Amino acid sequence: NAGVMQNPRHLVRRRGQEARLRCSPMKGHSHVYWYRQLPEEGLKFMVYLQKENIIDESGMPKERFSAEFPKEGPSILRIQQVVRGDSAAYFCASSPGAVYNEQFFGPGTRLTVL
Amino acid sequence: KQEVTQIPAALSVPEGENLVLNCSFTDSAIYNLQWFRQDPGKGLTSLLLIQSSQREQTSGRLNASLDKSSGRSTLYIAASQPGDSATYLCAVISVQGAQKLVFGQGTRLTINP
């Protein structure tokens, strides 16, 4: 059973470009979470999705950031018009269901904005 | 608002020692607590999950305890090895927090051969 997959592993963008980060959850997992780890800071929750629904986006910046988890295909975290402050490691996690379930993390995507 | 604190921020011990990492959280109304390991430049590996109704969990040389009423958890590592060197993160899911994990800042552990 493959773990949580994220791609790309490393992404370099210039200021003003768009970044698209992909996450494929573990087989059988229908809950996806995105977290961000800024340099020298802890991991912070961004958004929680189930298939075709955003359940909690309280940690996501109101502008430029969006997330989706379509019926088919991976979850996508999209950052429009990137700025240097967006440089961070973005981690995706998945779980099979409710709050009592363990979250399993992917290897992360390291975004560098030049 | 839930806050998670880990002490110490960094710890260096000789190989073979037993050690304890500490985690505290401000809101005792949690569903579960999870301990992770993070190697430099890598993702997170889940080590142990303790449900709110449990007092401890064990996996190999690792033992995690939970005292929900006092807002504390400890991760005990027995017979430490250089391969245990990593950052250890503690995270909780609060009853008020939907299903999002709230993380501590981590303890950077170095085991010296």
Side-chain angles (χ1 to χ4, degrees), chain B residues 65-111:
Chain B
S65 67
L66 174 64
D67 184 344
K68 197 175 72 164
S69 61
S70 68
R72 297 186 182 196
S73 176
T74 61
L75 179 66
Y76 174 83
I77 303 176
S80 58
Q81 303 171 358
D84 295 330
S85 298
T87 296
Y88 290 79
L89 296 163
C90 163
V92 300
I93 291 184
S94 300
V95 171
Q96 294 295 325
Q99 292 183 227
K100 56 190 172 194
L101 284 164
V102 178
F103 283 86
Q105 292 289 94
T107 294
R108 188 175 300 172
L109 176 64
T110 302
I111 307 299

Side-chain angles (χ1 to χ4, degrees), chain B residues 27-98:
Chain B
D27 181 358
S28 61
I30 63 169
Y31 284 118
N32 61 41
L33 182 145
Q34 211 166 337
W35 281 94
F36 296 89
R37 168 189 173 135
Q38 185 176 27
D39 293 282
K42 305 288 186 182
L44 279 70
T45 301
S46 180
L47 298 174
L48 289 162
L49 171 73
I50 311 178
Q51 305 291 0
S52 61
S53 59
Q54 297 174 321
R55 300 282 273 180
E56 66 178 331
Q57 282 286 337
T58 298
S59 176
R61 293 182 294 108
L62 304 179
N63 176 276
S65 67
L66 174 64
D67 184 344
K68 197 175 72 164
S69 61
S70 68
R72 297 186 182 196
S73 176
T74 61
L75 179 66
Y76 174 83
I77 303 176
S80 58
Q81 303 171 358
D84 295 330
S85 298
T87 296
Y88 290 79
L89 296 163
C90 163
V92 300
I93 291 184
S94 300
V95 171
Q96 294 295 325

